[in-house]
Amino acid sequence: MPAPFEYHAARSVREAVELLERYGSEAKVLAGGQSLLPLMNLGLVQPAVIVDINSIPDLDYVRSVDGTIAIGALTRHATLEHDAVLRDRCPLLAEALALIGDRQVRNRGTIGGSLSHADPVAEIPTVATCLDAVMHAEGPAGGRDIPAREFFESYLTTSLQPAELLTEIRFPQTNGGGVSFKELVRRKGDFAIVAAAAVVELAQDGTCTEARLALAGVAPTPVRADTASLRGQKLSDDVLRAVAARACEGIEPESDVMASADYRRSMAPVFARRALAEAADRARVHP
Ligand code: FAD
């Protein structure tokens, strides 16, 4: 049973921000409830005030804007999973969404909730880190854009201020090439033990022109790996294995009930290589 709380259903972004400003760190935003409510039921989070944003119109959309895909924070995972524009222009996110939990979780969970919750092994924050997504938040002083590298600060911690509401997320549109999201799970739909998201673009002659890699489960936030050395190279198995190994040098994963730090340390380069290799294979088919 959650502790008693005061409930407010905000009807606009402005009203939500006013409520968050009034109640400060006593308040919590309620979106899909798929992370907040389990934590409240376990007594791990005990907000005095809930600000429900589900009645706010116009926070549920996918739009193509100036070379980006703009997504409203209240858009459900299931809506995004089946969105044709997203599949076509941001296939890495579409692929990762299908790996989240089960259908019930995806029917309620929202993209804004997943990013704000900032679980270090969650799929959407990993994709946001890989693609340099930009989060837009509204607060008492107006709106501001927050790049992914400044958004995720630590385990379950973002740079959002208590009175700020995440309203929109913008992902760059994919410009050809191949993508891949690989994760190590015990059972389908589990949170990942480690995960890797990759994007590879190739020139006509097979030379790499762009490569991106993000890792999850290796630090308190998703981590962007340095793949600059791949540009200008032909992506043989040996080259990809070496880059994946280098990307995981110095990672400091933690042990938890799911896996030991040593297991994560040894599996991270395996999944990094698999993601890069699959992205490269797909780029060869659809350059
Ligand atoms: P909520 O639970 O409503 O909120 C989460 C947090 O974000 C709260 O602190 C809330 O105050 C804050 N918040 C929400 N929206 C905003 C906003 N717009 N602005 C500011 N703060 C906001 N996730 C995965 O990534 N991978 C999985 O494999 C996975 N498996 C799951 C399995 C189960 C059984 C369950 C119950 C959940 C699972 N999840 C998984 C979590 C799921 O993806 C959640 O949907 C997501 O983490 C939170 O989204 P939500 O909309 O439910 O947010």
Side-chain angles (χ1 to χ4, degrees), residues 34-35 77-78 81 94-110 114 119 121-125 181 183 185-192:
Q34 298 301 295
S35 295
H77 305 328
E81 193 185 343
E95 182 166 324
L97 281 157
L99 302 173
I100 297 176
D102 52 29
R103 188 161 301 283
Q104 287 77 12
V105 170
R106 298 199 295 277
N107 280 343
R108 288 303 303 165
T110 66
S114 176
D119 191 306
V121 290
E123 286 84 358
I124 297 172
F181 196 102
E183 62 180 28
V185 286
R186 285 182 196 280
R187 298 169 309 181
K188 187 172 183 304
D190 275 2
F191 274 100

Coordinates of all heavy atoms in Angstrom, one line a residue, residues 34-35 77-78 81 94-110 114 119 121-125 181 183 185-192:
Q34 N 4.4 3.2 -14.5 CA 5.0 1.9 -14.5 C 6.3 1.7 -13.7 O 6.7 0.7 -13.4 CB 5.2 1.4 -16.0 CG 3.9 1.3 -16.8 CD 3.0 0.3 -16.1 OE1 3.2 -0.9 -16.1 NE2 1.8 0.8 -15.7
S35 N 6.8 2.9 -13.4 CA 8.0 2.9 -12.5 C 7.6 3.5 -11.1 O 8.0 3.0 -10.1 CB 9.2 3.6 -13.1 OG 9.6 3.0 -14.2
H77 N 4.9 3.9 -25.0 CA 5.8 3.0 -25.7 C 5.1 2.2 -26.9 O 5.7 2.1 -28.0 CB 6.4 1.9 -24.8 CG 7.1 2.5 -23.5 ND1 7.7 3.7 -23.5 CD2 7.2 2.0 -22.3 CE1 8.2 3.9 -22.3 NE2 7.9 2.9 -21.5
A78 N 3.9 1.7 -26.6 CA 3.2 0.9 -27.6 C 2.8 1.7 -28.8 O 2.9 1.3 -30.0 CB 1.9 0.3 -27.0
E81 N 6.0 2.1 -30.8 CA 6.5 0.8 -31.3 C 5.9 0.6 -32.7 O 6.5 0.0 -33.6 CB 6.0 -0.3 -30.3 CG 6.6 -1.6 -30.5 CD 6.0 -2.6 -29.6 OE1 5.4 -2.2 -28.6 OE2 6.1 -3.8 -29.9
A94 N 12.8 2.5 -32.6 CA 11.7 1.6 -32.8 C 12.1 0.2 -32.4 O 11.3 -0.6 -31.8 CB 11.3 1.6 -34.3
E95 N 13.3 -0.2 -32.7 CA 13.8 -1.6 -32.4 C 13.9 -1.7 -30.9 O 13.6 -2.8 -30.3 CB 15.2 -1.8 -33.1 CG 15.8 -3.1 -32.8 CD 17.0 -3.4 -33.8 OE1 16.9 -3.0 -34.9 OE2 17.9 -4.1 -33.3
A96 N 14.4 -0.7 -30.2 CA 14.6 -0.8 -28.7 C 13.3 -0.9 -28.0 O 13.2 -1.6 -27.0 CB 15.4 0.4 -28.3
L97 N 12.3 -0.1 -28.5 CA 11.0 -0.1 -27.8 C 10.4 -1.5 -27.7 O 9.7 -1.8 -26.6 CB 10.0 0.8 -28.6 CG 10.3 2.3 -28.4 CD1 9.7 3.1 -29.6 CD2 9.6 2.7 -27.1
A98 N 10.5 -2.3 -28.7 CA 9.9 -3.6 -28.7 C 10.5 -4.5 -27.6 O 10.0 -5.6 -27.2 CB 10.1 -4.3 -30.0
L99 N 11.7 -4.1 -27.0 CA 12.3 -4.9 -26.0 C 11.9 -4.5 -24.6 O 12.3 -5.2 -23.6 CB 13.9 -4.8 -26.1 CG 14.4 -5.2 -27.5 CD1 15.9 -4.8 -27.6 CD2 14.2 -6.6 -27.8
I100 N 11.1 -3.5 -24.4 CA 10.7 -3.0 -23.1 C 9.6 -3.9 -22.5 O 8.5 -4.0 -23.1 CB 10.2 -1.5 -23.2 CG1 11.4 -0.6 -23.7 CG2 9.7 -1.1 -21.8 CD1 10.9 0.8 -23.8
G101 N 9.9 -4.4 -21.3 CA 8.9 -5.1 -20.5 C 8.0 -6.0 -21.3 O 8.4 -6.8 -22.2
D102 N 6.7 -5.9 -21.0 CA 5.7 -6.7 -21.8 C 4.7 -5.8 -22.3 O 4.8 -4.5 -22.2 CB 5.1 -7.8 -20.8 CG 4.5 -7.1 -19.6 OD1 4.2 -5.9 -19.6 OD2 4.5 -7.8 -18.5
R103 N 3.7 -6.3 -23.0 CA 2.7 -5.5 -23.7 C 2.0 -4.5 -22.7 O 1.7 -3.4 -23.0 CB 1.7 -6.4 -24.4 CG 0.7 -5.6 -25.3 CD 0.1 -6.5 -26.4 NE 1.1 -7.1 -27.2 CZ 1.7 -6.5 -28.2 NH1 1.5 -5.2 -28.5 NH2 2.6 -7.2 -29.0
Q104 N 1.7 -5.0 -21.5 CA 0.9 -4.2 -20.5 C 1.8 -3.0 -20.2 O 1.3 -1.9 -20.1 CB 0.6 -5.0 -19.3 CG -0.5 -6.1 -19.4 CD 0.0 -7.3 -20.2 OE1 1.2 -7.5 -20.4 NE2 -0.9 -8.2 -20.6
V105 N 3.1 -3.2 -19.9 CA 4.0 -2.1 -19.5 C 4.1 -1.1 -20.7 O 4.0 0.1 -20.5 CB 5.4 -2.7 -19.2 CG1 6.4 -1.5 -19.1 CG2 5.3 -3.5 -17.9
R106 N 4.2 -1.7 -21.9 CA 4.3 -0.8 -23.1 C 3.0 0.0 -23.4 O 3.1 1.1 -23.9 CB 4.8 -1.5 -24.3 CG 6.2 -2.2 -24.1 CD 6.8 -2.6 -25.4 NE 6.1 -3.6 -26.2 CZ 6.3 -4.9 -26.0 NH1 7.1 -5.4 -25.0 NH2 5.6 -5.8 -26.7
N107 N 1.9 -0.6 -23.0 CA 0.6 0.1 -23.2 C 0.5 1.3 -22.3 O -0.2 2.3 -22.7 CB -0.6 -0.8 -23.0 CG -0.8 -1.7 -24.2 OD1 -0.4 -1.5 -25.3 ND2 -1.6 -2.8 -23.9
R108 N 1.1 1.3 -21.2 CA 0.9 2.4 -20.2 C 2.2 3.3 -20.1 O 2.1 4.5 -20.0 CB 0.7 1.9 -18.8 CG -0.7 1.3 -18.6 CD -1.8 2.3 -18.9 NE -1.8 3.5 -18.1 CZ -2.5 4.6 -18.4 NH1 -3.3 4.6 -19.4 NH2 -2.4 5.7 -17.6
G109 N 3.4 2.7 -20.2 CA 4.6 3.5 -20.0 C 4.8 4.5 -21.1 O 4.4 4.3 -22.2
T110 N 5.4 5.7 -20.7 CA 5.6 6.8 -21.6 C 7.1 7.0 -21.9 O 7.9 6.7 -21.0 CB 5.0 8.1 -21.1 OG1 5.7 8.5 -19.9 CG2 3.5 7.9 -20.7
S114 N 10.1 7.2 -19.0 CA 11.3 6.4 -19.0 C 12.6 7.2 -18.9 O 13.5 6.9 -18.2 CB 11.3 5.5 -20.3 OG 12.5 4.8 -20.4
D119 N 16.6 4.9 -15.5 CA 17.2 3.7 -15.1 C 18.4 3.4 -16.0 O 18.2 3.5 -17.2 CB 16.1 2.5 -15.2 CG 16.6 1.3 -14.6 OD1 17.7 0.8 -15.0 OD2 15.9 0.7 -13.8
V121 N 19.8 0.9 -17.1 CA 19.7 -0.2 -18.1 C 18.5 -0.1 -19.0 O 18.2 -1.0 -19.8 CB 19.8 -1.6 -17.5 CG1 21.2 -1.8 -16.9 CG2 18.8 -1.8 -16.4
A122 N 17.7 1.0 -18.9 CA 16.5 1.1 -19.7 C 16.9 1.4 -21.1 O 17.9 2.1 -21.4 CB 15.6 2.2 -19.1
E123 N 16.0 0.9 -22.1 CA 16.4 1.0 -23.5 C 16.3 2.4 -24.0 O 17.2 2.9 -24.8 CB 15.4 0.1 -24.3 CG 15.6 -1.4 -24.2 CD 14.9 -2.0 -23.0 OE1 14.3 -1.3 -22.1 OE2 15.0 -3.2 -22.8
I124 N 15.3 3.2 -23.6 CA 15.1 4.5 -24.3 C 16.3 5.5 -23.9 O 16.8 6.2 -24.7 CB 13.7 5.1 -23.9 CG1 12.6 4.2 -24.6 CG2 13.6 6.5 -24.5 CD1 11.2 4.6 -24.1
P125 N 16.7 5.6 -22.6 CA 17.8 6.4 -22.3 C 19.1 6.0 -23.0 O 19.9 6.8 -23.4 CB 18.0 6.2 -20.8 CG 16.6 5.9 -20.3 CD 16.0 5.0 -21.4
F181 N 20.2 -2.8 -31.8 CA 20.1 -2.8 -30.3 C 20.2 -4.2 -29.8 O 19.4 -5.0 -30.1 CB 18.8 -2.1 -29.8 CG 18.8 -1.7 -28.4 CD1 19.0 -0.4 -28.1 CD2 18.7 -2.6 -27.4 CE1 19.1 0.0 -26.7 CE2 18.8 -2.2 -26.1 CZ 18.9 -0.9 -25.7
E183 N 20.8 -6.7 -26.3 CA 20.8 -6.7 -24.9 C 20.9 -8.1 -24.3 O 20.3 -9.1 -24.9 CB 19.6 -5.9 -24.3 CG 18.3 -6.5 -24.6 CD 17.1 -5.7 -24.0 OE1 17.3 -4.4 -23.8 OE2 16.1 -6.2 -23.7
V185 N 19.6 -10.5 -21.5 CA 18.5 -10.6 -20.6 C 18.4 -12.1 -20.2 O 18.7 -13.0 -21.0 CB 17.1 -10.1 -21.1 CG1 17.1 -8.6 -21.2 CG2 16.8 -10.7 -22.5
R186 N 17.9 -12.3 -19.0 CA 17.6 -13.7 -18.6 C 16.4 -14.2 -19.2 O 16.3 -15.3 -19.7 CB 17.5 -13.8 -17.1 CG 18.8 -13.8 -16.3 CD 18.6 -13.9 -14.9 NE 19.8 -13.5 -14.2 CZ 20.9 -14.2 -14.0 NH1 21.0 -15.4 -14.5 NH2 21.9 -13.7 -13.4
R187 N 15.3 -13.4 -19.2 CA 14.0 -13.7 -19.9 C 13.6 -12.6 -20.7 O 13.9 -11.4 -20.4 CB 13.0 -13.9 -18.8 CG 13.2 -15.0 -17.8 CD 12.2 -15.0 -16.7 NE 12.2 -13.6 -16.1 CZ 11.5 -13.2 -15.1 NH1 10.7 -14.1 -14.5 NH2 11.5 -12.0 -14.6
K188 N 12.9 -12.9 -21.8 CA 12.4 -11.8 -22.7 C 11.6 -10.8 -21.9 O 10.8 -11.2 -21.1 CB 11.5 -12.4 -23.8 CG 11.1 -11.5 -24.9 CD 10.4 -12.2 -26.0 CE 10.0 -11.3 -27.1 NZ 9.2 -10.2 -26.7
G189 N 11.9 -9.5 -22.1 CA 11.2 -8.5 -21.4 C 11.8 -8.0 -20.1 O 11.3 -7.0 -19.5
D190 N 12.8 -8.7 -19.6 CA 13.5 -8.3 -18.4 C 14.3 -7.0 -18.7 O 14.6 -6.7 -19.8 CB 14.5 -9.4 -17.9 CG 13.9 -10.4 -17.1 OD1 12.6 -10.4 -16.9 OD2 14.6 -11.3 -16.7
F191 N 14.6 -6.3 -17.6 CA 15.5 -5.2 -17.7 C 16.9 -5.9 -18.1 O 17.2 -7.0 -17.7 CB 15.7 -4.5 -16.4 CG 14.7 -3.4 -16.2 CD1 13.6 -3.6 -15.4 CD2 14.9 -2.1 -16.8 CE1 12.7 -2.5 -15.2 CE2 14.0 -1.1 -16.7 CZ 12.9 -1.3 -15.9
A192 N 17.6 -5.2 -19.0 CA 18.9 -5.7 -19.5 C 20.0 -5.8 -18.4 O 20.0 -5.0 -17.4 CB 19.4 -4.9 -20.6

